[in-house]
Amino acid sequence: MASEPLPSASTSVFRVDKFVVPSQSMDAFVERIRQVQQTLGSLPGCLQKHVLTQTGDSSEFDVVTVVEWASADAVAAAQAVMQKQLASEGFDIQAFRKKLGVRGDSGMYSKA
């Protein structure tokens, strides 16, 4: 999870990641996303998490992940945990995405 500006520390915040995944990469990508989501779900302040997929007639799939956090402080703590875990695994997110041909963007959202 990249560091990004967050809303106030006491407001529920949502991390939304959107990906375009080539069909041949879908299984490997979703498997890794589910591993990450499992870890995130075990962290303090994680209120809910979802992995959503949309398929169509093309050779690409859309994958969206949504994690609701109790506060910006919970997000910051989760980012630190995930960075440490990924570093200990020697896992490079950008290289993984590039290898699979995945494009995406991420952002922090709050309730309107």
Side-chain angles (χ1 to χ4, degrees):
M1 297 173 66
S3 296
E4 300 173 14
L6 300 171
S8 101
S10 62
T11 305
S12 178
V13 294
F14 297 80
R15 167 70 184 233
V16 179
D17 298 296
K18 300 170 277 188
F19 304 100
V20 175
V21 183
S23 58
Q24 68 273 14
S25 299
M26 189 66 148
D27 290 343
F29 185 73
V30 170
E31 179 182 335
R32 184 62 189 189
I33 290 292
R34 286 188 176 140
Q35 291 170 359
V36 169
Q37 291 274 312
Q38 184 175 6
T39 300
L40 294 176
S42 71
L43 298 176
C46 180
L47 302 177
Q48 61 176 322
K49 58 188 176 41
H50 303 281
V51 178
L52 309 170
T53 60
Q54 176 186 19
T55 59
D57 294 332
S58 72
S59 63
E60 292 186 329
F61 294 77
D62 293 319
V63 176
V64 177
T65 65
V66 179
V67 181
E68 181 181 8
W69 295 97
S71 66
D73 291 340
V75 173
Q79 287 174 332
V81 167
M82 289 307 300
Q83 287 171 353
K84 184 177 179 179
Q85 178 176 327
L86 294 175
S88 73
E89 295 173 2
F91 185 79
D92 181 336
I93 294 172
Q94 297 307 321
F96 177 71
R97 287 165 114 186
K98 184 176 181 177
K99 175 183 172 186
L100 297 180
V102 173
R103 301 184 318 270
D105 85 12
S106 304
M108 299 303 295
Y109 293 80
S110 58
K111 291 181 182 177

